[in-house]
């Protein structure tokens, strides 16, 4: 593709030059006497096509300002007031596993209230695999799903966390309407006022604001924009 336009342009220029030469050679001074050839018309050059006009620039997609439903466990429950302050509806519960996420999605579908953008934060209370991911995405349908990675302490009982986060990163790549919000990376790169309590799982007031800012930035962004960028100290502002 990068080379097609120069060739096309060269073709147009060549045709234009050829037309001028024909016009010059076809004048009465250059035509053989008595050959009956009609002088070339100046209209010959007018038959050369102009290069195609550039396509109009597509206007940038505006930020999404519609409803958002965030479904999660006790971590998201800790972010509830900060997410709510940003206009995001939260359905979170302590010790919730993916089975509880099924229930919330099914209830919203039955009521006709599942919005166009859905945030899913599950896995803190146990890992899951491709079948569960596919079942949850089937419920989401053609809406946009934003999967939040989990952050757990570096302890043997939580050894599954890294594998689950890598799994989520792989799975979202299989669905055009699935996106990753990397909370784990944001926590790992954060320095400053603690976002987590001593258990290294649940959110402090500062963590509530950081989690909500990360989620809100992702779900409000145009679909062509990247999501999941870590939130640094300066990027986290108090919830409006």
């Amino acid at each position: 593709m990068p080379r097609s336009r120069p060739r096309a342009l060269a073709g147009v220029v060549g045709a234009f030059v050829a037309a001028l030469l024909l016009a010059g050679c076809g004048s009465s001074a250059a035509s053989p006497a008595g050959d009956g050839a009609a002088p070339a018309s100046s209209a010959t050059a007018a038959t050369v096509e102009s290069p195609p006009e550039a396509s109009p620039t597509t206007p940038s997609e505006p930020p999404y300002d519609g409803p958002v439903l965030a479904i999660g466990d006790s971590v998201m429950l800790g972010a509830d007031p900060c997410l709510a302050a940003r206009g995001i509806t939260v359905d979170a519960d302590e010790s919730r596993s993916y089975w509880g996420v099924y229930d919330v999605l099914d209830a919203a579908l039955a009521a006709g209230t599942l919005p166009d953008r859905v945030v899913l934060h599950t896995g803190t209370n146990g890992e899951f695999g491709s079948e569960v991911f596919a079942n949850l995405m089937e419920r989401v349908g053609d809406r946009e799903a934003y999967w939040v990675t989990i952050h757990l302490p570096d302890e043997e009982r939580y050894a599954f966390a890294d594998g689950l986060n890598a799994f989520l990163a792989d799975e979202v790549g299989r669905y055009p309407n699935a996106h990753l919000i990397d909370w784990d990376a944001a926590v790992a790169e954060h320095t400053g006022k603690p976002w987590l309590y001593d258990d290294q799982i649940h959110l402090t007031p500062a963590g509530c604001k950081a989690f909500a800012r990360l989620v809100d930035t992702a779900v409000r962004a145009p679909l062509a924009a990247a999501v999941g960028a870590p939130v640094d100290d300066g990027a986290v502002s108090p919830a409006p």
Side-chain angles (χ1 to χ4, degrees):
M1 289 297 293
R3 298 183 179 179
S4 62
R5 187 174 180 180
R7 287 200 300 268
L9 183 58
V12 171
V13 172
F16 184 77
V17 171
L20 291 177
L21 291 174
L22 285 173
C25 293
S27 65
S28 57
S31 299
D35 63 0
S41 170
S42 60
T44 305
T47 62
V48 179
E49 295 182 359
S50 300
E53 295 183 4
S55 301
T57 303
T58 303
S60 59
E61 182 184 351
Y64 176 76
D65 62 357
V68 179
L69 174 62
I71 307 170
D73 50 35
S74 58
V75 176
M76 186 171 284
L77 188 61
D80 187 352
C82 300
L83 289 167
R86 295 176 177 275
I88 297 176
T89 301
V90 176
D91 191 316
D93 198 7
E94 293 183 1
S95 302
R96 176 179 279 164
S97 70
Y98 63 83
W99 286 107
V101 180
Y102 282 146
D103 294 339
V104 176
L105 289 173
D106 288 342
L109 286 169
T113 58
L114 193 62
D116 289 336
R117 299 200 177 185
V118 181
V119 180
L120 303 169
H121 190 206
T122 185
T124 303
N125 299 295
E127 61 185 325
F128 56 92
S130 297
E131 183 177 357
V132 171
F133 192 97
N135 287 336
L136 291 172
M137 287 300 298
E138 182 178 1
R139 286 164 167 79
V140 171
D142 59 0
R143 302 167 183 84
E144 304 300 321
Y146 295 81
W147 292 82
V148 185
T149 59
I150 63 172
H151 181 83
L152 295 174
D154 187 14
E155 299 177 11
E156 182 62 30
R157 60 177 172 158
Y158 298 127
F160 66 88
D162 287 344
L164 178 60
N165 287 337
F167 163 78
L168 290 176
D170 287 341
E171 288 296 303
V172 297
R174 302 176 188 275
Y175 296 81
N177 61 324
H179 315 274
L180 190 73
I181 301 177
D182 204 347
W183 170 243
D184 181 56
V187 173
E189 296 182 14
H190 170 70
T191 58
K193 193 171 183 179
W195 287 353
L196 305 176
Y197 287 114
D198 291 342
D199 65 2
Q200 292 300 299
I201 300 175
H202 296 97
L203 307 177
T204 64
C208 173
K209 294 175 183 178
F211 188 96
R213 174 63 178 267
L214 187 67
V215 169
D216 186 61
T217 299
V219 299
R220 301 298 181 191
L223 294 179
V227 299
V231 178
D232 59 29
D233 295 343
V236 179
S237 58

